[in-house]
mmCIF file of all heavy atoms in Angstrom:
data_model
loop_
_atom_site.group_PDB
_atom_site.id
_atom_site.type_symbol
_atom_site.label_atom_id
_atom_site.label_comp_id
_atom_site.label_asym_id
_atom_site.label_seq_id
_atom_site.Cartn_x
_atom_site.Cartn_y
_atom_site.Cartn_z
ATOM 1 N N ASP A 83 27.571 -11.118 -6.381
ATOM 2 C CA ASP A 83 27.894 -10.244 -7.511
ATOM 3 C C ASP A 83 27.619 -11.035 -8.775
ATOM 4 O O ASP A 83 28.319 -12.015 -9.077
ATOM 5 C CB ASP A 83 29.361 -9.817 -7.449
ATOM 6 C CG ASP A 83 29.711 -8.830 -8.564
ATOM 7 O OD1 ASP A 83 28.778 -8.313 -9.199
ATOM 8 O OD2 ASP A 83 30.906 -8.601 -8.806
ATOM 9 N N TRP A 84 26.589 -10.611 -9.529
ATOM 10 C CA TRP A 84 26.127 -11.426 -10.666
ATOM 11 C C TRP A 84 25.629 -10.505 -11.756
ATOM 12 O O TRP A 84 24.897 -9.545 -11.506
ATOM 13 C CB TRP A 84 25.014 -12.373 -10.206
ATOM 14 C CG TRP A 84 24.592 -13.369 -11.227
ATOM 15 C CD1 TRP A 84 25.400 -14.137 -12.016
ATOM 16 C CD2 TRP A 84 23.243 -13.728 -11.557
ATOM 17 N NE1 TRP A 84 24.658 -14.957 -12.813
ATOM 18 C CE2 TRP A 84 23.324 -14.722 -12.552
ATOM 19 C CE3 TRP A 84 21.992 -13.321 -11.109
ATOM 20 C CZ2 TRP A 84 22.191 -15.301 -13.122
ATOM 21 C CZ3 TRP A 84 20.877 -13.895 -11.653
ATOM 22 C CH2 TRP A 84 20.971 -14.877 -12.652
ATOM 23 N N ASP A 85 26.025 -10.817 -12.998
ATOM 24 C CA ASP A 85 25.591 -10.028 -14.142
ATOM 25 C C ASP A 85 24.410 -10.647 -14.869
ATOM 26 O O ASP A 85 23.994 -10.147 -15.916
ATOM 27 C CB ASP A 85 26.750 -9.829 -15.117
ATOM 28 C CG ASP A 85 27.283 -11.146 -15.663
ATOM 29 O OD1 ASP A 85 26.776 -12.212 -15.250
ATOM 30 O OD2 ASP A 85 28.203 -11.117 -16.496
ATOM 31 N N GLY A 86 23.863 -11.738 -14.330
ATOM 32 C CA GLY A 86 22.711 -12.387 -14.940
ATOM 33 C C GLY A 86 23.038 -13.523 -15.865
ATOM 34 O O GLY A 86 22.132 -14.276 -16.260
ATOM 35 N N ILE A 87 24.305 -13.693 -16.245
ATOM 36 C CA ILE A 87 24.680 -14.757 -17.186
ATOM 37 C C ILE A 87 25.779 -15.633 -16.602
ATOM 38 O O ILE A 87 25.659 -16.854 -16.563
ATOM 39 C CB ILE A 87 25.143 -14.159 -18.530
ATOM 40 C CG1 ILE A 87 24.002 -13.359 -19.167
ATOM 41 C CG2 ILE A 87 25.605 -15.277 -19.476
ATOM 42 C CD1 ILE A 87 24.399 -12.691 -20.468
ATOM 43 N N GLY A 88 26.854 -15.027 -16.142
ATOM 44 C CA GLY A 88 27.988 -15.775 -15.631
ATOM 45 C C GLY A 88 27.723 -16.366 -14.263
ATOM 46 O O GLY A 88 26.595 -16.362 -13.748
ATOM 47 N N SER A 89 28.780 -16.882 -13.647
ATOM 48 C CA SER A 89 28.658 -17.473 -12.323
ATOM 49 C C SER A 89 28.590 -16.382 -11.255
ATOM 50 O O SER A 89 29.101 -15.281 -11.429
ATOM 51 C CB SER A 89 29.859 -18.390 -12.043
ATOM 52 O OG SER A 89 31.073 -17.651 -12.128
ATOM 53 N N MET A 90 27.941 -16.703 -10.156
ATOM 54 C CA MET A 90 27.813 -15.758 -9.056
ATOM 55 C C MET A 90 29.091 -15.747 -8.216
ATOM 56 O O MET A 90 29.775 -16.760 -8.086
ATOM 57 C CB MET A 90 26.623 -16.120 -8.166
ATOM 58 C CG MET A 90 25.289 -16.064 -8.865
ATOM 59 S SD MET A 90 23.923 -16.418 -7.720
ATOM 60 C CE MET A 90 22.527 -16.381 -8.849
ATOM 61 N N ARG A 91 29.359 -14.607 -7.628
ATOM 62 C CA ARG A 91 30.510 -14.466 -6.739
ATOM 63 C C ARG A 91 30.026 -13.881 -5.420
ATOM 64 O O ARG A 91 29.445 -12.800 -5.384
ATOM 65 C CB ARG A 91 31.564 -13.555 -7.369
ATOM 66 C CG ARG A 91 32.829 -13.400 -6.524
ATOM 67 C CD ARG A 91 33.889 -12.636 -7.307
ATOM 68 N NE ARG A 91 33.454 -11.281 -7.626
ATOM 69 C CZ ARG A 91 33.668 -10.219 -6.842
ATOM 70 N NH1 ARG A 91 34.302 -10.381 -5.673
ATOM 71 N NH2 ARG A 91 33.254 -9.021 -7.203
ATOM 72 N N TYR A 92 30.241 -14.621 -4.344
ATOM 73 C CA TYR A 92 29.765 -14.196 -3.034
ATOM 74 C C TYR A 92 30.584 -12.998 -2.548
ATOM 75 O O TYR A 92 31.812 -13.037 -2.520
ATOM 76 C CB TYR A 92 29.879 -15.345 -2.033
ATOM 77 C CG TYR A 92 29.453 -14.973 -0.631
ATOM 78 C CD1 TYR A 92 28.107 -14.852 -0.304
ATOM 79 C CD2 TYR A 92 30.398 -14.735 0.357
ATOM 80 C CE1 TYR A 92 27.706 -14.511 0.977
ATOM 81 C CE2 TYR A 92 30.011 -14.396 1.648
ATOM 82 C CZ TYR A 92 28.670 -14.278 1.941
ATOM 83 O OH TYR A 92 28.285 -13.927 3.223
ATOM 84 N N VAL A 93 29.868 -11.919 -2.178
ATOM 85 C CA VAL A 93 30.535 -10.713 -1.686
ATOM 86 C C VAL A 93 30.034 -10.315 -0.306
ATOM 87 O O VAL A 93 30.468 -9.300 0.243
ATOM 88 C CB VAL A 93 30.341 -9.539 -2.674
ATOM 89 C CG1 VAL A 93 31.040 -9.815 -3.989
ATOM 90 C CG2 VAL A 93 28.852 -9.242 -2.894
ATOM 91 N N GLY A 94 29.110 -11.071 0.263
ATOM 92 C CA GLY A 94 28.611 -10.774 1.605
ATOM 93 C C GLY A 94 27.843 -9.459 1.662
ATOM 94 O O GLY A 94 26.983 -9.177 0.815
ATOM 95 N N LEU A 95 28.180 -8.654 2.635
ATOM 96 C CA LEU A 95 27.502 -7.370 2.840
ATOM 97 C C LEU A 95 28.119 -6.237 2.030
ATOM 98 O O LEU A 95 27.770 -5.066 2.243
ATOM 99 C CB LEU A 95 27.527 -6.991 4.323
ATOM 100 C CG LEU A 95 26.771 -7.938 5.278
ATOM 101 C CD1 LEU A 95 26.996 -7.518 6.717
ATOM 102 C CD2 LEU A 95 25.278 -7.964 4.952
ATOM 103 N N GLN A 96 28.983 -6.564 1.091
ATOM 104 C CA GLN A 96 29.659 -5.533 0.326
ATOM 105 C C GLN A 96 28.680 -4.703 -0.495
ATOM 106 O O GLN A 96 28.871 -3.490 -0.664
ATOM 107 C CB GLN A 96 30.707 -6.164 -0.600
ATOM 108 C CG GLN A 96 31.649 -5.170 -1.246
ATOM 109 C CD GLN A 96 32.499 -4.426 -0.236
ATOM 110 O OE1 GLN A 96 32.973 -5.020 0.735
ATOM 111 N NE2 GLN A 96 32.688 -3.126 -0.430
ATOM 112 N N GLN A 97 27.615 -5.345 -1.001
ATOM 113 C CA GLN A 97 26.622 -4.609 -1.783
ATOM 114 C C GLN A 97 25.979 -3.507 -0.940
ATOM 115 O O GLN A 97 25.763 -2.385 -1.418
ATOM 116 C CB GLN A 97 25.532 -5.564 -2.298
ATOM 117 C CG GLN A 97 26.041 -6.763 -3.087
ATOM 118 C CD GLN A 97 26.323 -6.426 -4.540
ATOM 119 O OE1 GLN A 97 26.451 -5.249 -4.909
ATOM 120 N NE2 GLN A 97 26.412 -7.440 -5.369
#
Side-chain angles (χ1 to χ4, degrees):
D83 184 13
W84 188 46
D85 61 358
I87 299 178
S89 59
M90 298 183 183
R91 182 172 63 90
Y92 178 76
V93 294
L95 296 174
Q96 191 63 40
Q97 306 278 17

